[in-house]
Amino acid sequence: MHLILTGATGLVGSAVLSHMLSLPAGQIDRISILTRRPVPMADGHPHVNVITHGDFNSYPPELLEQLKGAEGCVWAVGVSVSMVSREGPTDGSGHREYINITVDYPVAAAKAFSTLSDSFKFVYVSSKSRFPLLLMSAISLRVTDKPGVFSPSFVPMKAQAESSLLALPSTYPSLRPFVLRPGYVDASPQPTLSSFVAQRPEPFIKKLIPVLGPIFRTLYPARTAPTPELGRVLCELAMGNGEPVEGDDIEGEGRIVGNPAMRRMAGL
């Protein structure tokens, strides 16, 4: 099987890549990583092809040729609102750069990748809590297109990305989209991941993690996404048959997986 991964130098993408690399020989024959920067975790793995790609809105024929035959993708590209430029035009609902990364990139990729196989699984990593939003996330991490006064500013854009991706199969019938909404992404079970993550947390968040992380894991386990299990479930969705999944905390006709459902799928 040939899979595509993006965001491999971020926390979630590193967790996915770690799981992919841990699988027995033959389960995944080839991994294509689209990235703007080097991916140290991929070094020394001959079945991993790291492709430097600068424009995630564009997929020229020569790039698609390298990806030909891929059957699934885990889209883990993401950015905090606090880390994008506040300059430039907006569309009335947020800053253009954040919208481009959060909505335009995955939609453009899903359309392009739908040509790679007869049943292409596109797994989009949606909202995940950050520590400034910790208490809000403990109450609710649901993505909604009707945010309230306390809703974090990324929520409407995540919802737009989700709805846009889930609507694509009507035009791109080979596409099998999935959305996974992780809660607090907990890297404590995999401390070595930090050495591979290029984007470090803001200093004040870094100080809060050792203090609030254990509290959150204890009080709100259903809203916690340990990186080993999160990486495994994301990978399994991309490797699966593309059919809708069932169970509690599954929405979007079986294509939106909430954090409790992810934990259940992982056996937690």
Side-chain angles (χ1 to χ4, degrees), residues 21-36:
L21 295 176
S22 73
L23 293 175
Q27 287 199 29
I28 299 179
D29 302 312
R30 186 178 176 191
I31 302 169
S32 292
I33 299 175
L34 299 184
T35 182
R36 286 177 170 157

Side-chain angles (χ1 to χ4, degrees), residues 184-193 217 224-229:
Y184 159 50
V185 178
D186 178 17
S188 63
Q190 288 182 293
T192 57
L193 283 187
R217 287 193 295 272
T224 302
T227 51
E229 287 76 16

Side-chain angles (χ1 to χ4, degrees), residues 215-249:
I215 297 173
F216 197 73
R217 287 193 295 272
T218 301
L219 296 180
Y220 307 105
R223 293 295 177 184
T224 302
T227 51
E229 287 76 16
L230 177 59
R232 175 160 67 87
V233 172
L234 286 166
C235 186
E236 287 175 351
L237 286 171
M239 295 175 67
N241 59 17
E243 293 300 312
V245 293
E246 298 180 350
D248 294 338
D249 206 46

Side-chain angles (χ1 to χ4, degrees), residues 1-266:
M1 175 169 284
H2 178 187
L3 294 181
I4 300 168
L5 175 63
T6 67
T9 58
L11 179 57
V12 176
S14 294
V16 174
L17 181 56
S18 176
H19 179 73
M20 289 179 173
L21 295 176
S22 73
L23 293 175
Q27 287 199 29
I28 299 179
D29 302 312
R30 186 178 176 191
I31 302 169
S32 292
I33 299 175
L34 299 184
T35 182
R36 286 177 170 157
R37 54 172 66 94
V39 183
M41 191 187 294
D43 292 347
H45 294 276
H47 66 303
V48 180
N49 184 24
V50 177
I51 303 170
T52 302
H53 185 54
D55 184 1
F56 285 92
N57 277 317
S58 176
Y59 298 87
E62 56 270 24
L63 174 57
L64 293 178
E65 183 62 28
Q66 293 188 66
L67 302 176
K68 188 175 180 180
E71 299 177 48
C73 169
V74 177
W75 188 270
V77 169
V79 67
S80 167
V81 175
S82 65
M83 299 180 71
V84 297
S85 172
R86 293 182 176 273
E87 299 178 356
T90 74
D91 68 351
S93 59
H95 294 284
R96 183 64 250 174
E97 183 180 0
Y98 183 73
I99 297 168
N100 193 35
I101 294 170
T102 305
V103 182
D104 299 343
Y105 283 0
V107 171
K111 291 178 179 178
F113 297 168
S114 69
T115 65
L116 299 175
S117 68
D118 295 334
S119 177
F120 189 89
K121 286 78 66 179
F122 189 92
V123 186
Y124 175 70
V125 181
S126 188
S127 68
K128 62 178 183 291
S129 73
R130 295 179 60 80
F131 271 90
L133 306 172
L134 192 60
L135 295 180
M136 250 188 299
S137 300
I139 298 170
S140 175
L141 268 173
R142 290 177 59 84
V143 174
T144 173
D145 57 4
K146 296 180 180 179
V149 65
F150 296 112
S151 297
S153 57
F154 66 76
V155 168
M157 294 302 99
K158 290 288 188 179
Q160 182 179 333
E162 290 183 7
S163 59
S164 297
L165 287 168
L166 295 180
L168 286 179
S170 61
T171 309
Y172 300 85
S174 62
L175 196 64
R176 305 290 185 269
F178 289 99
V179 170
L180 196 150
R181 297 171 175 170
Y184 159 50
V185 178
D186 178 17
S188 63
Q190 288 182 293
T192 57
L193 283 187
S194 62
S195 61
F196 296 107
V197 177
Q199 206 173 69
R200 304 293 186 215
E202 293 90 336
F204 74 97
I205 297 177
K206 191 173 182 179
K207 293 178 180 179
L208 284 175
I209 289 175
V211 177
L212 295 182
I215 297 173
F216 197 73
R217 287 193 295 272
T218 301
L219 296 180
Y220 307 105
R223 293 295 177 184
T224 302
T227 51
E229 287 76 16
L230 177 59
R232 175 160 67 87
V233 172
L234 286 166
C235 186
E236 287 175 351
L237 286 171
M239 295 175 67
N241 59 17
E243 293 300 312
V245 293
E246 298 180 350
D248 294 338
D249 206 46
I250 301 288
E251 302 178 33
E253 298 182 348
R255 299 206 169 271
I256 300 177
V257 178
N259 199 74
M262 181 281 295
R263 291 176 60 89
R264 185 178 66 253
M265 294 166 70

